[in-house]
Amino acid sequence: MQRREFILKTASLAATGLVLGGCAATATTTATSTQNANANPERRRNEINAGIDAVLPRLYSTVRGSRELVAKANGVLVFPSVIAAGLGIGGQYGEGALRIHNESVAYYNLASVSIGLQIGAQSKAVIVLFMTPESLEKFRKSEGWSVGADASVAVLKVGANGEVDVNATQGPIVAFVLTNSGLMANLTLEGTKITRIKM
């Protein structure tokens, strides 16, 4: 329920012009996440990890070549359920974990304000791959960052042959955005803020 409350609050703030550049959204997100994590951190970690354990196999079965790409990554940041809601101006929020060698080493939230037609609530999974040691180290040294301002993230698409070309993914940070129907096309994560959760 807290996720939905956050989304509605973000949409309301955006609509009244109080969210400028997503800064207020980040502050609200951090406060919400901290309260949520502090309430029962072990339960929250277990929920996030169970979500990740369900999403990764779905990615592998949906997108040919994704398993190999994930295996090549130095770190994998997975948000198993990012909820977006609003009409005209909305927000999205999700919680996830950074995995290194298949182990969750830190927890994060993802938040952004969006403009465009969004009717009802929509859910997607976001999987961010750090393909170089340098990109992973830079991310871990920060408490999080904004996509576009602090780092460029290329959202991957499936080719005509139905699989991701592992050799064509040259960027230091790449991402999959997965819905129930498959990978999302023509999507950018620009302006998305990722912040570490202390728990």
Side-chain angles (χ1 to χ4, degrees):
M1 277 305 212
Q2 281 194 323
R3 289 182 187 142
R4 287 186 182 178
E5 287 169 13
F6 166 81
I7 292 163
L8 293 174
K9 190 171 184 180
T10 301
S12 174
L13 288 171
T16 57
L18 296 177
V19 176
L20 300 175
C23 295
T26 303
T28 305
T29 301
T30 304
T32 302
S33 300
T34 302
Q35 290 170 358
N36 196 18
N38 289 342
N40 193 333
E42 185 177 356
R43 179 181 172 186
R44 193 76 209 108
R45 288 194 297 267
N46 289 341
E47 286 177 358
I48 291 170
N49 285 315
I52 293 171
D53 290 339
V55 162
L56 288 177
R58 187 159 66 86
L59 173 69
Y60 301 152
S61 64
T62 304
V63 184
R64 291 201 307 269
S66 58
R67 184 188 296 273
E68 292 79 5
L69 194 57
V70 169
K72 285 176 61 177
N74 288 266
V76 183
L77 181 61
V78 185
F79 297 95
S81 180
V82 176
I83 307 294
L87 181 60
I89 299 175
Q92 62 177 358
Y93 178 76
E95 293 178 349
L98 174 66
R99 287 193 170 181
I100 299 175
H101 304 304
N102 294 320
E103 250 184 70
S104 294
V105 297
Y107 295 84
Y108 294 84
N109 65 44
L110 174 154
S112 69
V113 174
S114 58
I115 298 174
L117 185 62
Q118 297 175 51
I119 300 173
Q122 301 168 345
S123 177
K124 58 181 174 279
V126 177
I127 301 106
V128 181
L129 309 181
F130 297 93
M131 304 308 296
T132 64
E134 295 78 16
S135 64
L136 177 61
E137 184 181 6
K138 184 178 177 182
F139 176 75
R140 295 193 74 188
K141 280 185 176 176
S142 69
E143 291 300 301
W145 40 243
S146 175
V147 177
D150 299 309
S152 177
V153 178
V155 177
L156 299 173
K157 299 178 180 68
V158 176
N161 61 355
E163 66 180 89
V164 171
D165 183 358
V166 175
N167 298 319
T169 54
Q170 301 298 325
I173 308 173
V174 296
F176 292 101
V177 178
L178 187 66
T179 65
N180 288 335
S181 57
L183 284 189
M184 290 184 74
N186 302 320
L187 183 85
T188 177
L189 294 175
E190 196 86 6
T192 299
K193 294 186 180 295
I194 296 173
T195 307
R196 186 164 180 174
I197 305 172
K198 302 293 188 183
M199 67 172 169

